[in-house]
Amino acid sequence: MSLATQYQDLSSSYVTEILTHLIQAPSVTPCDAGTITFMSEQLAALGFTIEQFEVQGVKNLIASYHFSEGPTFAFSGHVDVVPANNKGWIVPPFSAQIVDGVIYGRGAADMKGGVAAMLAATKELLQHREKLQGSFYWLLTSDEEGEAEFGSKLIAERLVENDIELDACLVGEPTSHQVVGDTVKNGRRGAISGRIHVKGKAGHVAYPEHTVNAAHVAGQLVSQLALLPWWKDEVGSQTTLQVTGITVPNIVDNLVPAECEITFNIRYSHAYKSQEVVQYIQESLAKSGTELEICWERPCESFYTGAKQENCFLTLVEQAIQETTGQYPSLSTAGGTSDGRFFATGKTQVIECGVKNDSIHQVNEHLSLSDLHVIEKIYLSVLKRFFIKVENF
């Protein structure tokens, strides 16, 4: 088969049709542009029970299929994307045009490609309904790229309210680097932002002995923050604190400032939790003896899934990738935060696995059709390994 014929076959496939439809919907956060209803219709046609709910303009979907008694699995994804305009794109960002076997469009990689691939894998899995055990949940939101206040966070709360406890959750974020399947995330660092208001005493710059320069104090605190040791870090999961702003209000060149604001962000190892980080920072700054106020914003908890848990989901995903690609993936907890944090518990094992992330949030975001089919095969292998009874595998 020629390469051109192969691309033609791929572009006419079910998974490509689904991805094309999703990309053509301009679902910029928190707007879903009809994608939640579209996915509900697709899953309902496969036999899933559908629940949609909307909060503050964010649309969410919980779809469920109960095969029999057994383990519970969920696929978590988002249909929202970051903004895009036509500038610099080789095709319009919401046109989903295919050029030389590559589909271009906002959300192709992050993460409508993963959603389309999992839908295709789900459809194939259900051809074997009689062999399946357990329960299968689809959890979709239109609020991942924004503040994430009314999406997966509320989906997770609704699961708890209905006494649904997941054994495993696969998040379809783009995790791969060079080739699809070369990297999965078995956790994420936590994140939290801080805002410090430093109080000094104003006065004339010619008489500094009668003042307390809030900007000078802030400079000392910045140095202190930058040099803090993080003793619980693990290999591949380092904590970093970055100062993002130092601001003096109403700057006048002959006035010593009485106020200064420091803003900073911490990405912390999964060895810590947010309250521990907050306490450590506050106790460290208290030693300075400076009058200040600290406000904490946007906490995102860390999570981690190891390889020693019972019925290890990480091992299952690794085996599915090896079966499909011939190689085992590298493990990572790097990068930003994800919705996986809302589902990770002492029981629920969360793994992120998806397509390449080299074009996400960029002009000409894209996904090759061959990569789309590889992740579809990986997802299908994961589903079969999880749901098919051992005697039927």
Side-chain angles (χ1 to χ4, degrees), residues 150 170-171 340:
F150 306 111
L170 182 71
V171 183

Side-chain angles (χ1 to χ4, degrees), residues 259-322:
E259 296 180 74
C260 187
E261 184 179 74
I262 305 166
T263 55
F264 61 96
N265 179 269
I266 305 171
R267 298 299 169 113
Y268 56 90
S269 168
H270 61 262
Y272 298 94
K273 290 299 179 184
S274 61
Q275 282 304 114
E276 186 178 5
V277 171
V278 166
Q279 183 178 354
Y280 177 47
I281 295 293
Q282 291 183 164
E283 289 178 352
S284 299
L285 293 178
K287 297 175 183 178
S288 68
T290 303
E291 184 181 2
L292 49 84
E293 298 174 353
I294 306 177
C295 175
W296 296 97
E297 303 170 345
R298 301 184 68 183
C300 301
E301 290 295 347
S302 61
F303 68 92
Y304 185 76
T305 297
K308 296 181 180 179
Q309 294 176 254
E310 186 178 356
N311 299 318
C312 182
F313 185 50
L314 173 58
T315 299
L316 185 152
V317 174
E318 289 177 319
Q319 291 172 344
I321 291 173
Q322 195 280 331

Side-chain angles (χ1 to χ4, degrees), residues 224-240:
Q224 183 178 340
L225 288 171
L227 295 173
L228 284 175
W230 299 93
W231 66 97
K232 292 173 68 173
D233 283 1
E234 299 183 17
V235 175
S237 184
Q238 272 69 48
T239 301
T240 61

Side-chain angles (χ1 to χ4, degrees), residues 42 58 61 97 114-115 138 174 193 211 234 252 275 305 313 353:
Q42 302 304 308
V58 172
L61 167 65
Q97 293 184 41
V115 172
W138 268 73
S193 294
T211 70
E234 299 183 17
V252 180
Q275 282 304 114
T305 297
F313 185 50
C353 175

Side-chain angles (χ1 to χ4, degrees), residues 29 78 80 110 141-148 173 337-339:
T29 307
H78 64 89
D80 59 314
D110 188 12
T141 183
S142 66
D143 184 35
E144 194 274 344
E145 298 291 3
E147 294 298 319
E173 289 289 351
T337 59
S338 82
D339 279 2

